[in-house]
């Protein structure tokens, strides 16, 4: 009887030892730069421990992410607190330490975009919203790709929503628009939406002989006190017809 009890406890102990450790959970709502620094050292400990995935939570979501994405959120937080040099180092660390990011996935593109944005001259940021809209309108009227190339943000994406947009290199976004310019006639530009946090959606018409509308997203960069064009999406300008 004692032997059976001993075997039972041995098997129970082995079973408990084989259980996978709980996935780490980290809060990414940072209140100050000191918390961000602590998270970076936490990332380093997780990296050394061989952790590959974890859960991150904020007041908006809880999701399972890769360790590399966790480092990306830390870099983003450094940016939000104005510590751009620290953010640059982390974006560069991401690109150097995770070769798979160069394979075209969204995290790789987002990281390259932010690093390119931080290292750029910010010449695409225009002081006045009206001035940015005017320059975009003139460029469309003249099919002026060079001006569009000067105005497009180095952190650009396609989609209706800033949080869920599909990030692309600005040069690729520009090529897509350039391919559409041939079918653009008599373009018009108007503001169709402006949010409280100063994000503006422009509706541009005249594409594909009036059969398509492009929408451009503009937002105010408060740190630079200027506006930039960093979002676009399109839709059919004609209602669906019955077959």
């Amino acid at each position: 009887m004692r032997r059976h009890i001993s075997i039972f406890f041995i098997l129970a102990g082995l079973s408990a030892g084989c259980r996978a450790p709980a996935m780490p959970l980290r809060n990414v709502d940072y209140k100050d730069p000191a918390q961000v620094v602590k998270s970076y050292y936490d990332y380093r400990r997780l990296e050394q421990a061989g952790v590959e995935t974890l859960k991150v939570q904020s007041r908006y979501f809880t999701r399972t992410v890769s360790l590399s994405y966790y480092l990306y959120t830390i870099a983003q937080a450094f940016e939000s607190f104005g510590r751009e040099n620290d953010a640059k180092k982390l974006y560069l660390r991401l690109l150097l330490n995770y070769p798979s990011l160069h394979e075209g996935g969204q995290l790789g593109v987002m990281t390259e975009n932010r690093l390119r944005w931080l290292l750029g001259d910010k010449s695409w940021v225009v002081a006045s919203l009206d001035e940015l809209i005017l320059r975009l309108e003139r460029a469309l009227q003249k099919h002026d790709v060079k001006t569009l190339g000067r105005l497009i943000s180095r952190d650009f994406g396609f989609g209706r929503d800033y949080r869920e947009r599909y990030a692309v290199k600005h040069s690729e976004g520009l090529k897509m628009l350039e391919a559409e310019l041939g079918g653009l006639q008599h373009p018009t530009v108007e503001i169709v939406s402006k949010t409280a946090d100063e994000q503006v959606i422009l509706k541009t018409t005249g594409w594909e002989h009036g059969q398509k509308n492009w929408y451009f997203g503009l937002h105010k960069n408060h740190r630079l006190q200027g506006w930039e064009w960093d979002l676009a999406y399109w839709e059919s300008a004609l209602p669906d017809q019955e077959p």
Side-chain angles (χ1 to χ4, degrees):
M1 181 68 176
R2 290 179 181 176
R3 183 171 177 273
H4 290 165
I5 293 174
S6 299
I7 291 175
F8 172 80
F9 281 112
I10 290 171
L11 291 175
L14 289 174
S15 176
C18 291
R19 290 174 188 166
M23 184 176 292
L25 175 65
R26 299 294 186 267
N27 190 297
V28 292
D29 283 330
Y30 302 109
K31 296 179 180 178
D32 54 54
Q35 286 188 339
V36 187
V37 172
K38 288 181 180 178
S39 287
Y40 173 68
Y41 285 110
D42 174 60
Y43 156 80
R44 293 294 302 274
R45 287 191 293 269
L46 294 174
E47 182 184 47
Q48 292 170 2
V51 172
E52 296 182 354
T53 57
L54 68 156
K55 288 184 178 180
V56 296
Q57 67 177 11
S58 76
R59 59 184 178 275
Y60 299 112
F61 61 81
T62 298
R63 64 180 60 156
T64 300
V65 301
S66 65
L67 187 64
S68 55
Y69 186 86
Y70 180 44
L71 183 57
Y72 178 83
T73 67
I74 296 169
Q76 289 265 282
F78 273 129
E79 273 200 76
S80 70
F81 286 111
R83 295 180 57 161
E84 294 187 351
N85 285 335
D86 290 318
K88 291 175 191 176
K89 293 174 185 176
L90 295 197
Y91 291 133
L92 187 58
R93 181 184 178 89
L94 271 166
L95 295 173
L96 292 176
N97 285 17
Y98 298 92
S100 62
L101 295 187
H102 297 281
E103 296 174 1
Q106 274 293 279
L107 182 57
V109 176
M110 291 189 299
T111 301
E112 289 179 355
N113 279 3
R114 288 315 304 164
L115 186 58
R116 189 178 292 111
W117 192 96
L118 288 170
L119 295 174
D121 61 9
K122 315 299 187 296
S123 58
W124 57 88
V125 178
V126 179
S128 163
L129 173 62
D130 291 340
E131 179 65 21
L132 177 56
I133 294 173
L134 181 61
R135 291 187 191 180
L136 285 170
E137 184 174 20
R138 287 176 176 173
L140 293 177
Q141 290 172 346
K142 298 178 180 179
H143 293 195
D144 185 350
V145 178
K146 288 185 178 180
T147 295
L148 291 175
R150 287 192 292 268
L151 293 175
I152 193 170
S153 173
R154 286 351 180 220
D155 186 2
F156 192 77
F158 289 109
R160 294 174 178 269
D161 185 275
Y162 275 93
R163 289 184 184 175
E164 302 298 332
R165 68 177 188 162
Y166 185 83
V168 298
K169 293 181 180 179
H170 74 283
S171 56
E172 294 177 358
L174 185 63
K175 285 180 182 178
M176 193 172 202
L177 286 164
E178 182 179 3
E180 299 270 329
L181 282 175
L184 178 62
Q185 296 180 356
H186 311 297
T188 64
V189 176
E190 64 173 319
I191 294 176
V192 294
S193 173
K194 186 173 183 179
T195 64
D197 55 354
E198 297 187 279
Q199 294 179 352
V200 168
I201 298 296
L202 293 182
K203 178 181 179 181
T204 71
T205 66
W207 304 83
E208 288 188 5
H209 309 291
Q211 298 183 51
K212 180 187 284 189
N213 295 326
W214 273 87
Y215 294 83
F216 293 169
L218 320 176
H219 90 272
K220 187 171 185 179
N221 185 304
H222 292 278
R223 185 170 294 118
L224 298 178
Q225 288 301 303
W227 290 79
E228 62 181 314
W229 165 42
D230 55 2
L231 182 75
Y233 63 93
W234 65 92
E235 66 178 17
S236 172
L238 299 177
D240 295 333
Q241 297 180 353
E242 295 292 333

